[in-house]
Amino acid sequence: AQSVTQPDIHITVSEGASLELRCNYSYGATPYLFWYVQSPGQGLQLLLKYFSGDTLVQGIKGFEAEFKRSQSSFNLRKPSVHWSDAAEYFCAVGAKSSASKIIFGSGTRLSIRP
Amino acid sequence: EAGVTQSPTHLIKTRGQQATLRCSPISGHTSVYWYQQALGLGLQFLLWYDEGEERNRGNFPPRFSGRQFPNYSSELNVNALELEDSALYLCASSLAPGASYEQYFGPGTRLTVT
């Protein structure tokens, strides 16, 4: 069965510092992988996705993520965070089948220190 | 283009009552997904409808039900409300079924059960 683990519940980084949010997944084949962001009081917005090909994926708002099959990881990175990046971040996994739903991790809350 | 809309924004019910939540997908989208976001539990998959049919269901009791109408809008019903049903209920839509199609989220309905 598919599952996603985000080991960090809450992370605080200083504005301008680099960021890495961890995501580990469990799936038998090559999964579809996603990162979503949820700003306070809003729904989720897709940051980036990995289906196949280049394992380094570029997304919106300056985010990127790297798929590492050997580690079953899909960590999200940003070289320099802005105060507006404070939000909840969700990693998610799905399968290639049209019958596949997406499974979300429990989320990581990112706070930015001025 | 209008995004996914949900109504009402907030809903307050007492234990034992029924709640009805509504979702209008993006025009042209056939799949509608419902998620429950309770405090500290991330997004829990509830229900998935496509072309009027229930495609998948999460690990929730039968008192959580729903339907999709011919215009692809959807309704989530929660019967015999319990205190632990208090959560943000998010609806998402996608162009077609399956994880390869991006899910677009609405702002959610905040259900409070007292």
Side-chain angles (χ1 to χ4, degrees):
Chain A
Q2 304 160 241
S3 68
V4 181
T5 302
Q6 293 180 248
D8 303 307
I9 296 172
H10 183 204
I11 285 181
T12 300
V13 300
S14 298
E15 190 167 17
S18 63
L19 170 71
E20 182 168 28
L21 301 183
R22 295 184 291 165
C23 173
N24 292 96
Y25 67 90
S26 174
Y27 186 64
T30 301
Y32 288 170
L33 293 161
F34 310 83
W35 274 100
Y36 282 82
V37 61
Q38 184 181 31
S39 298
Q42 298 187 22
L44 277 69
Q45 181 184 21
L46 181 67
L47 282 175
L48 48 78
K49 62 189 177 188
Y50 172 79
F51 285 175
S52 64
D54 192 348
T55 57
L56 185 63
V57 181
Q58 302 297 322
I60 62 171
K61 305 186 181 187
F63 285 93
E64 67 176 26
E66 186 172 12
F67 170 56
K68 293 186 177 180
R69 184 192 306 274
S70 62
Q71 298 177 21
S72 297
S73 69
F74 189 57
N75 294 349
L76 182 71
R77 300 194 295 247
K78 186 170 185 178
S80 176
V81 297
H82 186 261
W83 64 266
S84 60
D85 293 325
E88 187 98 23
Y89 291 81
F90 293 93
C91 181
V93 63
K96 291 183 180 179
S97 163
S98 64
S100 168
K101 61 182 187 287
I102 293 176
I103 302 297
F104 285 83
S106 55
T108 297
R109 184 161 63 93
L110 174 64
S111 297
I112 306 298
R113 191 183 301 118
Chain B
E1 178 185 279
V4 177
T5 59
Q6 293 186 244
S7 63
T9 305
H10 294 92
L11 189 58
I12 300 175
K13 295 285 187 179
T14 56
R15 192 169 47 184
Q17 286 188 317
Q18 178 196 38
T20 298
L21 289 65
R22 296 180 177 83
C23 172
S24 291
I26 291 173
S27 177
H29 285 197
T30 65
S31 274
V32 171
Y33 310 80
W34 287 96
Y35 297 90
Q36 182 194 67
Q37 187 176 20
L39 198 61
L41 294 180
L43 269 74
Q44 304 294 314
F45 169 74
L46 260 170
L47 287 161
W48 170 16
Y49 292 95
D50 183 70
E51 297 282 5
E53 300 288 329
E54 183 179 297
R55 292 293 298 265
N56 209 325
R57 181 182 181 85
N59 189 25
F60 281 84
R63 57 192 187 81
F64 287 84
S65 65
R67 54 180 170 168
Q68 186 178 34
F69 299 98
N71 67 353
Y72 302 114
S73 66
S74 178
E75 195 174 87
L76 174 67
N77 294 293
V78 188
N79 293 319
L81 284 164
E82 300 179 2
L83 296 178
E84 52 265 35
D85 296 334
S86 294
L88 180 67
Y89 288 83
L90 292 168
C91 171
S93 73
S94 65
L95 189 60
S100 58
Y101 293 93
E102 180 179 345
Q103 292 187 19
Y104 294 82
F105 283 79
T109 292
R110 173 74 61 184
L111 173 64
T112 302
V113 183
T114 62

